[in-house]
Amino acid sequence: MAKYKSKAVTVSRPAQFIVDKFADLSSFGQALDSMSEADRARVGDVKFEKDAITIDTKQVGTISFKVVERTPSRVVMSAVGSPVPLDLSVDLTPEGEDSTQIVTSIDVEIPAMLRPMIGGAMQKAVDQFGDLMAKLNA
């Protein structure tokens, strides 16, 4: 498995607020609606449901991430419709009463010889998801 991690972002909300957001992923749709048009374009075609995030990409089509683990410090979603096994994780670390550090990561099963060719795209994807998490102040 190859692992790609975003940079850590700090959200000006308590950890429990973020955990509560992950209890029903459809609440992230409100964050998308409040983004600027430029930020929304960078995120792309994303839909949020209670227990899944669906992304439509030109490269691989539609992929859904279904929640397989939900704890106060971590949420793990597994890809459905992906050409390779892929997990998306969100790690939450409280930084005080009113802020939380978030790191997103992608674990993907790809052959070592393909990593140089698609590693950049995977890093870009996890960085974009990390950017989306940074906008969770709403």
Side-chain angles (χ1 to χ4, degrees):
M1 273 229 167
K3 186 168 192 153
Y4 301 90
K5 291 177 94 170
S6 71
K7 66 179 191 251
V9 296
T10 298
V11 177
S12 300
R13 294 289 188 169
Q16 190 60 50
F17 174 86
I18 305 301
V19 169
D20 291 346
K21 282 274 212 188
F22 278 101
D24 180 355
L25 299 176
S26 63
S27 67
F28 289 118
Q30 297 167 352
L32 282 179
D33 293 341
S34 66
M35 284 184 188
S36 71
E37 193 169 315
D39 284 342
R40 182 69 176 97
R42 280 188 12 184
V43 171
D45 188 11
V46 180
K47 295 177 193 143
F48 295 96
E49 301 167 29
K50 181 175 179 9
D51 289 315
I53 299 172
T54 302
I55 302 169
D56 192 15
T57 67
K58 293 176 187 172
Q59 297 83 358
V60 292
T62 301
I63 298 176
S64 290
F65 290 92
K66 302 233 181 235
V67 175
V68 295
E69 176 186 336
R70 204 184 254 132
T71 69
S73 62
R74 187 164 209 230
V75 175
V76 179
M77 294 170 270
S78 196
V80 176
S82 171
V84 295
L86 187 140
D87 289 333
L88 176 64
S89 302
V90 180
D91 293 304
L92 308 167
T93 306
E95 289 191 323
E97 288 185 27
D98 294 325
S99 66
T100 305
Q101 183 184 74
I102 299 174
V103 176
T104 59
S105 60
I106 293 176
D107 290 316
V108 60
E109 185 99 15
I110 53 175
M113 65 183 179
L114 293 179
R115 289 181 191 161
M117 291 184 280
I118 64 171
M122 297 305 295
Q123 187 62 51
K124 182 179 176 183
V126 78
D127 287 340
Q128 285 179 322
F129 194 71
D131 288 345
L132 177 60
M133 295 295 103
K135 308 241 185 289
L136 291 179
N137 290 327

